[in-house]
Amino acid sequence: MAEEFRLVQPKEYYNKFLDKNVRPDERELADFRQTILNIGCITTAEGSALVRLGHTTVICGIKAELAKPNTDQPMNGFIVPNVELSPLCSPNFRPGPPGEQAQVLSQNMADLIANSQCLLQESLCICPSPKVSTGCQEGSGNLHATIRVSAAISSCNFCSSGCIIVSTPNMTILL
């Protein structure tokens, strides 16, 4: 019954929880989902991170390879983001070519990398151009946030030799 109410009247459904100052999963509004980060988890990648936010797990790997720069930007390297949403992580995803959600998430990841300047394209010239690939391990929660965190952490891991360990009740970073 609650699922039908959420689908038919989403505004009223969420307002019911907002009136009680809780989320639909009974967390308070200011409470974060438990977060687990495993940095450098793919030993064959130049940068990687496994991120779990609540019930969503994403793994991100950055592979670098030599490539010829684009002719319109000869002094810039380039980044090729790719999001794979496997049917193994959620029944909502189907096998075959990337669906619309995977394409939108790939573009969001490209925009995030470009706008945050965590990997400067100028610094990629004359050195390997990274390909950023993200694979969903479990997709029952917030894919956008989890993919963004995994791409940012993998980029940090790609650019540096180490990261700071942070441990709070809701976040754990493993090296």
Side-chain angles (χ1 to χ4, degrees):
M1 180 75 168
E3 181 65 17
E4 290 84 11
F5 180 55
R6 183 183 69 82
L7 293 173
V8 175
Q9 297 181 321
K11 185 176 179 182
E12 290 80 5
Y13 175 81
Y14 289 108
N15 280 337
K16 181 178 85 170
F17 292 101
L18 287 174
D19 291 341
K20 297 178 188 177
N21 288 323
V22 296
R23 298 171 188 252
D25 63 3
E26 300 301 324
R27 284 181 294 132
E28 293 188 19
L29 296 177
D31 289 347
F32 292 101
R33 290 181 177 89
Q34 182 179 7
T35 303
I36 298 172
L37 306 175
N38 184 347
I39 300 169
C41 56
I42 304 174
T43 58
T44 57
E46 283 74 32
S48 64
L50 182 128
V51 176
R52 182 171 177 91
L53 290 178
H55 297 292
T56 302
T57 305
V58 169
I59 190 161
C60 182
I62 298 179
K63 289 294 292 177
E65 59 186 51
L66 293 174
K68 188 175 181 178
N70 293 329
T71 55
D72 59 333
Q73 295 179 320
M75 297 307 292
N76 290 353
F78 55 91
I79 300 168
V80 181
N82 178 46
V83 173
E84 295 178 18
L85 300 176
S86 165
L88 296 174
C89 76
S90 170
N92 297 328
F93 308 129
R94 302 284 178 245
E100 182 180 352
Q101 186 175 15
Q103 293 176 24
V104 167
L105 289 168
S106 291
Q107 185 58 52
N108 284 348
M109 190 166 48
D111 294 342
L112 171 72
I113 293 168
N115 294 333
S116 69
Q117 298 183 351
C118 59
L119 288 175
L120 297 175
Q121 291 183 327
E122 300 84 24
S123 68
L124 298 176
C125 195
I126 313 287
C127 68
S129 294
K131 289 188 176 181
V132 181
S133 293
T134 304
C136 180
Q137 304 292 304
E138 180 184 353
S140 60
N142 187 338
L143 278 171
H144 288 273
T146 310
I147 286 174
R148 287 180 175 185
V149 170
S150 71
I153 295 295
S154 295
S155 298
C156 171
N157 182 238
F158 175 75
C159 293
S160 67
S161 59
C163 291
I164 298 170
I165 297 176
V166 176
S167 182
T168 69
N170 291 322
M171 176 182 274
T172 306
I173 298 178
L174 304 172
L175 293 179

